[in-house]
Amino acid sequence: MAIFSMRVQVVKRSSGRSVIAAAAYRSGTRLHDQRQGITHDYRNKRGVECSEMIFPKDAPAWVQGIDREGFWNAVDASEKRRDAQTAREIYVSIPRELSPDERVRVVRDFVTDSFVSKGMVADIAWHLVPASDGGDNCHAHVMLTMRPLVAGGFGNKVRHEYIPDPQGRAHPDGRVMLVESNSQSWNSAAYYETCRLRWEQLANDALQRAGSSERIDRRSLLERGIARLPEPMLGAAYHMKELYGRMKDRFGQYLAAKHAREVEQRATVALDRLDTISPAEAMRTVERFRAWFDRKLDHLPMAREGPMPDFSTPSHSPDMER
């Protein structure tokens, strides 16, 4: 069954994350972080079908012919703050009913139309891993720049402010309603909703071309009038096995067990709350746990000169390669 899944997260130094490590992990490549002097090698990572970078048509000369390592190091060097936000990542689930060529085409069209056309640089990685139900889990990770390209570097971020509604609308309690001053801001919630709609349209068009009757719907269960809770995150167990393997490599048996207990405790607290809160809050809780889990995975790999060994012990790869 085709499902709609799109998530956004920001790569932030304040969370201890590196944009070079994130790019290497998503693309399954070996990249050297010049600022930290660390080499991130994920050439043995499973499930990466292909990857590519897309630049705006009017990109300046300094990015012509640049490779992934050079570009993301330039992005990292352009940010001076220790709590800088260095990249934005979009995760999209691709309908498994599509052929490999069609999966590449639909994601490329979506990224070019929704992000590259606005001046962002996109680094796309297509992943194909076994899902919890035994089928294919097809998805893509899209890393996007936070600043537009200019001659010799990067420009200012395209931001927005919250201002009183020009139409004079107010909340029921009398408080002034605030709206975004720039709906075209790269951080705009309205712009993100437009991207969600565009992905729904492109994916459904691709399904129709493939002769499939399946369709995806960006609306929530409540908006569609379906009275049930979202399904649980079935891939959590596989995620934890992968995380535990990486922790053993870095920390040794004792500290790996200590960190594994922290993961289990956080998962238990997060998932036990799902029966006592609203469906909307339940979805937010699951997303927060997924984001926290991502940060754990990004922090663990050590620098090494050779390819990273494969620590995945289960017969299936994780349901959501992150």
Side-chain angles (χ1 to χ4, degrees):
M1 181 181 69
I3 62 171
F4 182 96
S5 179
M6 180 184 292
R7 302 192 294 273
V8 180
Q9 63 175 333
V10 174
V11 180
K12 299 180 289 188
R13 288 179 184 167
S14 60
S15 299
R17 301 185 64 188
S18 161
V19 68
I20 292 87
Y25 185 74
R26 272 57 174 173
S27 60
T29 55
R30 181 181 187 271
L31 302 180
H32 180 71
D33 187 332
Q34 296 174 359
R35 180 175 62 88
Q36 300 186 81
I38 299 175
T39 297
H40 304 278
D41 193 342
Y42 291 101
R43 288 174 293 181
N44 282 353
K45 176 178 169 58
R46 298 179 179 180
V48 181
E49 284 193 301
C50 59
S51 64
E52 69 179 31
M53 298 189 69
I54 305 179
F55 294 85
K57 293 181 179 179
D58 58 349
W62 71 270
V63 298
Q64 302 301 324
I66 195 170
D67 61 7
R68 178 176 284 112
E69 180 177 277
F71 179 77
W72 287 115
N73 271 293
V75 169
D76 197 43
S78 68
E79 299 290 350
K80 306 304 180 184
R81 295 172 59 102
R82 65 180 182 179
D83 60 348
Q85 298 179 348
T86 50
R88 180 179 290 106
E89 181 188 6
I90 309 291
Y91 167 97
V92 289
S93 178
I94 310 171
R96 62 176 62 169
E97 292 79 6
L98 301 180
S99 66
D101 289 342
E102 192 63 30
R103 292 199 296 267
V104 172
R105 173 186 172 185
V106 69
V107 173
R108 183 185 291 135
D109 289 347
F110 167 64
V111 171
T112 301
D113 182 56
S114 299
F115 307 112
V116 179
S117 64
K118 295 176 71 69
M120 304 181 203
V121 177
D123 190 352
I124 315 172
W126 286 265
H127 290 189
L128 177 63
V129 296
S132 299
D133 62 359
D136 291 333
N137 172 12
C138 318
H139 59 275
H141 296 271
V142 185
M143 290 186 60
L144 302 166
T145 50
M146 305 286 285
R147 299 176 182 271
L149 296 173
V150 297
F154 298 89
N156 296 326
K157 293 183 178 180
V158 184
R159 302 178 183 273
H160 66 268
E161 304 291 342
Y162 285 97
I163 61 174
D165 184 8
Q167 300 180 3
R169 291 180 299 173
H171 293 284
D173 60 2
R175 291 181 294 111
V176 175
M177 183 175 294
L178 300 179
V179 297
E180 295 173 351
S181 60
N182 177 14
S183 61
Q184 297 303 310
S185 164
W186 293 3
N187 287 329
S188 168
Y191 165 61
Y192 174 57
E193 184 59 30
T194 301
C195 295
R196 286 167 53 87
L197 174 60
R198 185 59 177 155
W199 172 247
E200 177 186 316
Q201 294 169 341
L202 289 174
N204 286 335
D205 289 345
L207 286 167
Q208 184 175 8
R209 289 194 301 269
S212 173
S213 61
E214 294 290 339
R215 296 294 183 268
I216 63 173
D217 194 329
R218 74 186 189 285
R219 297 175 299 170
S220 67
L221 296 178
L222 290 179
E223 290 172 327
R224 284 182 278 168
I226 302 176
R228 67 172 175 85
L229 286 173
E231 295 180 357
M233 188 172 59
L234 299 178
Y238 295 122
H239 276 303
M240 290 182 182
K241 288 184 179 180
E242 179 186 11
L243 180 65
Y244 185 70
R246 296 187 189 280
M247 286 191 294
K248 284 197 297 183
D249 176 51
R250 177 167 182 177
F251 298 117
Q253 187 73 29
Y254 171 74
L255 288 180
K258 178 181 177 181
H259 282 72
R261 282 197 298 272
E262 181 189 357
V263 173
E264 293 172 357
Q265 291 169 358
R266 290 289 294 268
T268 301
V269 172
L271 299 180
D272 282 350
R273 295 184 62 236
L274 299 185
D275 294 333
T276 63
I277 56 181
S278 67
E281 179 62 25
M283 286 300 295
R284 287 193 291 269
T285 297
V286 172
E287 293 301 327
R288 284 195 297 269
F289 176 70
R290 281 173 170 164
W292 178 82
F293 206 98
D294 280 348
R295 293 194 295 272
K296 281 288 182 182
L297 283 176
D298 281 349
H299 292 169
L300 288 175
M302 287 288 284
R304 57 185 68 233
E305 292 303 322
M308 176 175 288
D310 179 19
F311 290 103
S312 56
T313 56
S315 58
H316 294 296
S317 299
D319 187 23
M320 289 293 184
E321 283 285 349
R322 307 286 287 183

